[in-house]
Amino acid sequence: MSKGNINVSVENIFPLIKKFLYSDHEIFLRELISNATDATTKLKHLISIGEAQVEYGAPKIEVKIDKDNKTLSITDQGLGMTAEEVEKYINQIAFSGAEEFLEKYKDDKNETGVIGHFGLGFYSAFMVADKVEIITKSFKEEPAAHWTCDGSPEYTLVEHDKSDRGTEIILHIAEDSVEFLEDGKIRGLLTKYNRFNQVPIKFGTKKINDPDFTPQTITDEEGKETKEPHKQIDVDDIINNTEPAWTKKPADLEADDYKNFYRELYPMQFEESLFHIHLNVDYPFNLTGILFFPKLSQNLDMQKDKIQLYQNQVFVTDNVEGIVPDFLQMLKGVIDSPDIPLNVSRSYLQADGAVKKISGYITKKVADKLSSLFKKDREDFEKKWNDIKVIIEYGMLSEEKFFDKAKKFALYPTVNDEYFTFDELVEKTKDSQTDKDGNHIILYAANKDAQHAYIEAAKAKGYEVLLLDSPIVSHLMQKLETSGGDTKVQFTRVDADHVDNLIKKDDTVISKLSDEEKDKLKPIIEGSVPKESYTVQLESMDSDASPFLITVPEFMRRMKEMSASGGGMMGMGNLPEMYNLVVNTNHQLVSDILNADEDKQKELISQAFDLAKLSQNLLHGEELTNFIKRSYNLIK
Ligand code: ADP
Ligand code: MG
């Protein structure tokens, strides 16, 4: 029997391990299963290169709870360790790793929040156990070894009679960690971290119907027929799928395989995804994965099902900030990379070159996939547009490289459900929608119903009206206006002004009213509408156009919108609503107002003003009630 001292400079390291990893005790299981998995795949490798002459068989990892003895054990059939190797790998190397980790972070209080992203390896077992045993038999012809350590720097190492190859780690669960002796707890952890583990994991047994047994129909004395009960047998309960879809070649997968994998990954998600992107790169870093575009429409809320990050099929986190570009965090799926440095802090991770490259690669892959979907089946792409536009628009705003690519496939739907790319739109409207100063005006509406009258007026002029309703579209318009190169494109909402003023052409309409008459009319109208919110503006328009019209100047409205969705001119969101009241001096009603007596003037102005408000959806409550009353009086 040998006794020894683990080489420590920190006095009693184990209480420290406990303290530092307080928030994330549960990762010990992931660490021990990773070691068991490594031991198994290493053996496979040694056999394949002829360095181990043993039968590989069908190895599995078994996790077992012994409630009576308060132990949790993890047993593998991997390469095992000789006593000498236990000395080296457990007492020296593994320990120095744990020690280094603590040295580095024990004074750094700020880092404790991210501590869960550190792998402490084998010694994380002491977060939940006050004594740990290793019983291990190497594939080499040597006796098995039995290592025991009770959390002090002392350990014992003796021979053991274990005869089958592999390693058993026995944790004597500490009083404050008895939750890890509960079946449900362990099963939960195994499914969280290891449900795609490379080596099968057995956790208990389950009953299934015996496949070799067919129930017979039995006839009793009275001739009554009954069916024999099914025979049940116990089989290993394997909790993982060792070959999840992302580990396979895209060529070997059908559309249904992706669908099924989506369901496997998010069992509570009943909506199917729109399409997937299979990631597969081995230079300059290793990365595999499958990303799904979910059905999103306008819902920007953080959703429960997030992209999951794996390292060699072991779950690490679903916080992929810094690894996946922001605009793609709304996607779902899995990325798996052995190259992501997991044993470091988040801030380090974000500065890491490999991680930055991963983010760039993912952006490029997503852009390429969207581009190919667009080219292959435009009709289908148009159908999906509403669900994917928020992600694409967000990407165009946040990643310059993505913008350059997406400009070719981003779509701009019209109120008539036609879809144009930006170039198509510019080409289609440049002749009819360029004003006298050479500005190319693109008209849009945000709501087909609310802006109906304005849309109709613009359509009557032969203009195209887009329907742009996503929450960040005002930012995108701003960007398109400033990055259009030579074309001076300007977006204007249909209700920003009277249709003749939206796109100013040279043909000026002659005014029916003289300047004196206008000077007389303006204060009369101003006296009847709330001054704080409405600026009265007299215009000589077509005599068929509405006499009164409420408009919202494009600049003001857009700044308010951008402020509300973040960015733009901060603080503008709090400005009061301001409108223009455009009065068409060529309309007969306006002449009538001018010539009427004071009471009649008031009545006509109120009525026309209310009608204008009504068509902007601005007439509510008491004002609406008064309007209805007044209207009945007028027709009675
Ligand atoms: P890491 O896994 O990062 O190397 P660990 O602290 O988890 O660090 O493990 C230290 C070493 O102990 C491993 O590299 C391995 O050599 C050895 N080891 C741990 N668990 C096992 C096991 N189940 N079978 C064989 N060797 C093991
Ligand atoms: Mg390890």
Side-chain angles (χ1 to χ4, degrees):
M1 157 153 178
S2 95
K3 252 187 167 196
N5 256 302
I6 296 166
N7 172 30
V8 273
S9 54
V10 186
E11 192 55 41
N12 220 346
I13 197 164
F14 301 110
L16 276 176
I17 290 179
K18 269 196 169 165
K19 190 171 152 247
F20 273 93
L21 294 172
Y22 190 74
S23 61
D24 236 343
H25 278 180
E26 62 180 40
I27 59 125
F28 79 92
L29 189 60
R30 177 186 80 184
E31 293 299 327
L32 296 179
I33 292 202
S34 291
N35 286 350
T37 305
D38 289 348
T40 311
T41 53
K42 272 184 209 160
L43 179 67
K44 189 179 188 177
H45 177 70
L46 290 180
I47 293 170
S48 75
I49 60 169
E51 291 208 358
Q53 267 84 38
V54 293
E55 197 61 49
Y56 184 61
K60 57 180 180 255
I61 297 165
E62 179 165 9
V63 178
K64 240 198 259 176
I65 295 172
D66 180 341
K67 272 202 151 167
D68 295 337
N69 293 311
K70 298 207 173 114
T71 60
L72 175 70
S73 66
I74 295 103
T75 309
D76 66 62
Q77 294 155 13
L79 83 179
M81 284 179 279
T82 62
E84 204 181 312
E85 285 165 340
V86 173
E87 277 282 355
K88 185 169 161 202
Y89 296 130
I90 300 297
N91 295 338
Q92 293 166 27
I93 296 179
F95 195 81
S96 67
E99 195 186 27
E100 193 184 309
F101 161 77
L102 285 174
E103 275 300 321
K104 208 156 146 206
Y105 292 105
K106 74 176 185 253
D107 299 323
D108 195 349
K109 297 283 181 291
N110 298 333
E111 293 284 346
T112 49
V114 292
I115 216 115
H117 301 289
F118 293 88
L120 196 51
F122 170 75
Y123 278 93
S124 62
F126 286 99
M127 291 191 297
V128 300
D130 43 28
K131 183 167 126 189
V132 178
E133 292 177 71
I134 304 174
I135 300 169
T136 179
K137 165 109 179 67
S138 169
F139 73 94
K140 297 168 192 159
E141 293 284 315
E142 271 189 57
H146 184 184
W147 178 91
T148 312
C149 182
D150 66 359
S152 71
E154 281 175 19
Y155 67 87
T156 60
L157 185 58
V158 294
E159 261 187 36
H160 193 275
D161 60 7
K162 179 178 167 68
S163 59
D164 49 337
R165 181 191 69 226
T167 302
E168 179 176 6
I169 311 281
I170 304 166
L171 310 188
H172 296 262
I173 299 295
E175 214 46 67
D176 62 1
S177 301
V178 287
E179 55 180 314
F180 297 109
L181 292 170
E182 297 303 325
D183 254 46
K185 178 74 184 178
I186 297 300
R187 186 174 291 275
L189 293 180
L190 291 174
T191 18
K192 176 172 175 187
Y193 291 106
N194 300 109
R195 65 174 162 147
F196 299 118
N197 204 70
Q198 283 175 286
V199 176
I201 300 169
K202 173 188 172 184
F203 185 56
T205 56
K206 60 180 178 187
K207 290 209 183 304
I208 59 161
N209 288 338
D210 184 351
D212 296 330
F213 177 80
T214 324
Q216 301 295 313
T217 307
I218 307 163
T219 318
D220 66 11
E221 294 107 73
E222 288 153 36
K224 233 174 81 191
E225 284 187 356
T226 45
K227 200 134 197 198
E228 206 180 5
H230 238 296
K231 203 160 99 192
Q232 295 225 301
I233 51 166
D234 285 322
V235 291
D236 289 355
D237 191 359
I238 302 295
I239 61 97
N240 55 327
N241 170 7
T242 58
E243 288 184 324
W246 83 82
T247 62
K248 297 178 186 166
K249 285 200 208 81
D252 296 338
L253 295 167
E254 308 276 340
D256 265 353
D257 297 320
Y258 290 103
K259 231 188 245 177
N260 293 338
F261 176 60
Y262 191 64
R263 215 165 288 145
E264 182 182 4
L265 202 55
Y266 307 115
M268 302 309 284
Q269 174 65 256
F270 299 109
E271 209 56 276
E272 271 175 19
S273 75
L274 294 166
F275 49 85
H276 66 265
I277 299 162
H278 200 131
L279 307 168
N280 198 338
V281 61
D282 47 23
Y283 183 83
F285 47 83
N286 279 294
L287 180 92
T288 52
I290 300 174
L291 295 178
F292 294 94
F293 261 74
K295 278 201 171 160
L296 262 189
S297 49
Q298 304 214 10
N299 191 359
L300 274 172
D301 287 350
M302 276 310 275
Q303 308 195 2
K304 245 181 69 236
D305 298 333
K306 299 196 204 135
I307 296 177
Q308 301 179 355
L309 178 66
Y310 285 75
Q311 188 195 42
N312 285 327
Q313 295 174 234
V314 177
F315 175 82
V316 178
T317 178
D318 60 7
N319 174 5
V320 292
E321 223 184 296
I323 299 163
V324 172
D326 275 353
F327 79 101
L328 294 176
Q329 302 217 1
M330 287 175 267
L331 301 192
K332 317 249 177 243
V334 164
I335 51 178
D336 187 341
S337 173
D339 292 343
I340 293 175
L342 297 167
N343 297 334
V344 295
S345 72
R346 282 255 140 221
S347 50
Y348 183 89
L349 195 62
Q350 274 157 33
D352 187 86
V355 172
K356 279 211 183 104
K357 278 193 204 118
I358 288 174
S359 170
Y361 166 80
I362 293 174
T363 304
K364 183 179 172 306
K365 278 295 268 195
V366 170
D368 291 349
K369 175 78 181 194
L370 289 165
S371 171
S372 86
L373 286 171
F374 170 75
K375 284 183 193 144
K376 232 193 309 183
D377 188 349
R378 173 147 175 179
E379 203 181 315
D380 186 57
F381 191 78
E382 290 179 358
K383 267 194 219 128
K384 288 174 173 154
W385 180 252
N386 243 347
D387 287 308
I388 61 177
K389 65 184 176 191
V390 177
I391 295 176
I392 295 175
E393 288 166 357
Y394 186 20
M396 290 173 79
L397 284 168
S398 54
E399 305 266 335
E400 210 47 46
K401 278 188 185 150
F402 187 79
F403 178 85
D404 294 339
K405 292 195 170 187
K407 227 183 143 187
K408 298 193 183 77
F409 58 72
L411 293 176
Y412 301 86
T414 70
V415 289
N416 296 331
D417 292 324
E418 271 187 279
Y419 289 79
F420 296 114
T421 64
F422 190 68
D423 287 345
E424 288 165 357
L425 183 69
V426 168
E427 188 54 38
K428 170 112 198 206
T429 58
K430 74 167 184 249
D431 291 339
S432 57
Q433 296 183 207
T434 301
D435 72 9
K436 60 181 166 50
D437 302 319
N439 297 309
H440 182 166
I441 312 289
I442 304 228
L443 297 176
Y444 71 100
N447 185 314
K448 259 202 232 184
D449 289 333
Q451 290 142 20
H452 184 262
Y454 303 84
I455 295 170
E456 288 307 308
K459 285 202 322 205
K461 285 255 174 194
Y463 299 153
E464 288 291 346
V465 179
L466 302 181
L467 181 64
L468 302 179
D469 56 5
S470 57
I472 49 170
V473 79
S474 41
H475 296 267
L476 184 61
M477 290 186 290
Q478 202 83 359
K479 183 159 174 68
L480 289 165
E481 286 171 348
T482 50
S483 58
D486 292 339
T487 36
K488 281 204 274 173
V489 167
Q490 238 175 55
F491 285 84
T492 305
R493 205 165 93 174
V494 276
D495 58 349
D497 207 333
H498 178 260
V499 69
D500 289 332
N501 289 341
L502 288 175
I503 304 172
K504 282 210 179 88
K505 303 283 174 74
D506 270 331
D507 40 52
T508 38
V509 182
I510 300 172
S511 175
K512 257 197 210 168
L513 298 190
S514 67
D515 286 351
E516 295 88 74
E517 285 172 313
K518 284 187 194 164
D519 289 345
K520 200 176 135 200
L521 178 70
K522 202 169 179 194
I524 296 175
I525 295 174
E526 281 172 339
S528 307
V529 300
K531 263 209 285 301
E532 329 72 72
S533 319
Y534 289 88
T535 308
V536 175
Q537 182 186 325
L538 302 188
E539 298 271 350
S540 323
M541 306 187 302
D542 200 296
S543 58
D544 288 341
S546 302
F548 280 33
L549 187 76
I550 292 166
T551 61
V552 189
E554 177 71 13
F555 176 77
M556 285 288 287
R557 195 187 36 69
R558 207 193 293 175
M559 285 304 148
K560 270 175 81 81
E561 272 172 18
M562 287 171 67
S563 180
S565 60
M569 288 171 109
M570 276 307 184
M572 300 264 313
N574 298 328
L575 283 179
E577 300 290 344
M578 287 297 298
Y579 306 98
N580 287 341
L581 176 62
V582 181
V583 177
N584 179 5
T585 55
N586 285 350
H587 196 281
Q588 185 56 43
L589 179 69
V590 178
S591 302
D592 293 350
I593 290 173
L594 195 61
N595 300 324
D597 63 41
E598 209 173 308
D599 282 348
K600 190 68 187 168
Q601 264 177 352
K602 279 232 161 65
E603 186 182 59
L604 290 175
I605 294 170
S606 303
Q607 191 69 6
F609 181 49
D610 282 354
L611 285 166
K613 277 167 115 179
L614 205 55
S615 71
Q616 257 289 22
N617 202 15
L618 288 170
L619 197 63
H620 308 285
E622 193 183 344
E623 289 177 349
L624 181 59
T625 313
N626 290 340
F627 165 76
I628 292 168
K629 251 193 228 158
R630 195 184 327 110
S631 300
Y632 280 128
N633 278 333
L634 281 169
I635 57 171
K636 107 184 145 198

